[in-house]
Amino acid sequence: MLPYFLGCPSWSEPAWRPSLYPASARNSDFLSLYARLFNAVEGNTTFYARPSAQTVERWARLMPAGFHFCAKLPRDISHGGDLRDQEVATAEFLSLLAPLGGRVAPLWLQLPASFGPHRLGELLSWLDAFAGRRIAVEVRHPDFFAKGDDERLLNRHLRDRRVERICLDSRALFSCTSSDPAVLHAQSKKPRLPIRPTAFSDSPQVRFIGGPDLDANQVFLEPWLDKVVAWIEQGLTPHVFLHTPDNHLAAAQAIRFHQSLGERLPGLPELEPEAPQLGLL
């Protein structure tokens, strides 16, 4: 068993055939193949659309015990006005995901850049309404990154509630100059914010957004390798998710991260050996 959680933005990436998935793999095979190698995934799909009850039941059959599905709250909840008015919708969403049980850990709330300190009361009220769940929050308003009273207050309230502040690191993405449409699209969509590697509970959360060159990304990953080792040695269980612009290389980036981590942590288990790994690196 790995001492941390590692994964990608999703499991459904046809470009991973035939390097990660067999060439003959169907889309319906991807989740079971992914879960044989990685033990966590970002729940980006739920941000854009709620799955059907039948889809959730299928996920529950295919996701192993101990797998973490970090489901994002749908954007009509996180971006749909006062969070205090979204408690019923949140409860309904959690009810939909109930077949996954403890695998929804943590639940992710990604807030828009417009959600600033003047709305902190909404966030705290919503968090208190769901205090029994493991939750992680991603903020994007610049005042929450200014090292002032607003950021300190946010951090204190999250720490008091043992709610993680998701750290998104997009430096590698914005360091590259490219005319590749996938890179340009990612640079137009991803936020460019200071790094905040926090641990407010036993499960710090990291989202690393790399560029298309894995070697160029490595210099930005080195500090994260040291940080993840330190967290593990403190008895924490970090969650680390690796992106690339079109995510064609996200799995390769995640595998490389794990291999580099193994150089710092002797005895770190290899990724699930029975998973097909054909020339990913």
Side-chain angles (χ1 to χ4, degrees):
M1 180 181 295
L2 298 182
Y4 75 117
F5 286 91
L6 175 69
C8 302
S10 74
W11 60 75
S12 184
E13 181 47 72
W16 294 349
R17 292 180 301 212
S19 58
L20 183 69
Y21 301 153
S24 60
R26 301 165 297 177
N27 287 5
S28 59
D29 299 325
F30 289 170
L31 174 53
S32 58
L33 291 166
Y34 176 95
R36 292 171 65 188
L37 184 60
F38 300 115
N39 59 359
V41 70
E42 287 189 17
N44 283 337
T45 180
T46 57
F47 180 75
Y48 297 103
R50 289 167 176 78
S52 67
Q54 293 78 12
T55 294
V56 175
E57 291 286 355
R58 181 176 177 274
W59 290 349
R61 292 194 303 270
L62 295 175
M63 289 180 184
F67 187 90
H68 278 193
F69 178 66
C70 299
K72 282 186 184 178
L73 283 149
R75 58 184 168 182
D76 60 90
I77 294 177
S78 59
H79 291 52
D82 195 313
L83 282 176
R84 290 167 293 199
D85 298 330
Q86 301 294 339
E87 292 180 13
V88 171
T90 301
E92 290 173 347
F93 177 65
L94 292 173
S95 178
L96 174 64
L97 297 184
L100 298 176
R103 286 167 289 194
V104 180
L107 179 71
W108 278 13
L109 174 64
Q110 179 182 296
L111 295 171
S114 61
F115 195 104
H118 64 290
R119 300 182 64 185
L120 183 59
E122 293 175 39
L123 173 60
L124 300 181
S125 178
W126 183 89
L127 290 173
D128 290 342
F130 299 97
R133 301 199 63 95
R134 298 179 70 90
I135 296 175
V137 175
E138 183 178 304
V139 292
R140 297 186 172 186
H141 193 285
D143 286 352
F144 288 135
F145 295 84
K147 297 185 177 180
D149 290 341
D150 291 326
E151 181 172 7
R152 284 189 287 270
L153 187 61
L154 170 71
N155 289 347
R156 179 168 63 80
H157 282 299
L158 294 181
R159 185 183 295 109
D160 288 348
R161 290 164 173 79
R162 296 184 60 77
V163 169
E164 282 300 346
R165 177 177 176 173
I166 298 168
C167 179
L168 185 145
D169 183 354
S170 59
R171 293 173 298 175
L173 171 65
F174 287 102
S175 74
C176 64
T177 303
S178 174
S179 59
D180 184 335
V183 174
L184 297 176
H185 178 76
Q187 290 176 335
S188 71
K189 295 294 185 182
K190 299 297 184 185
R192 190 174 188 174
L193 295 164
I195 311 307
R196 292 294 186 266
T198 58
F200 294 156
S201 76
D202 60 355
S203 298
Q205 309 281 309
V206 177
R207 302 178 68 212
F208 179 88
I209 317 296
D213 184 334
L214 301 191
D215 290 334
N217 292 341
Q218 191 65 24
V219 66
F220 297 95
L221 280 172
E222 289 294 322
W224 283 117
L225 290 161
D226 294 336
K227 174 61 73 174
V228 169
V229 168
W231 278 333
I232 291 172
E233 290 177 341
Q234 293 168 30
L236 307 181
T237 310
H239 289 60
V240 182
F241 298 99
L242 286 302
H243 298 231
T244 56
D246 52 15
N247 289 318
H248 290 181
L249 293 175
Q253 185 71 88
I255 290 172
R256 177 178 286 207
F257 181 89
H258 183 76
Q259 291 174 337
S260 297
L261 195 67
E263 297 171 3
R264 291 164 166 79
L265 281 176
L268 183 72
E270 295 182 3
L271 294 179
E272 197 65 34
E274 64 265 26
Q277 299 180 47
L278 305 175
L280 245 178
L281 300 180

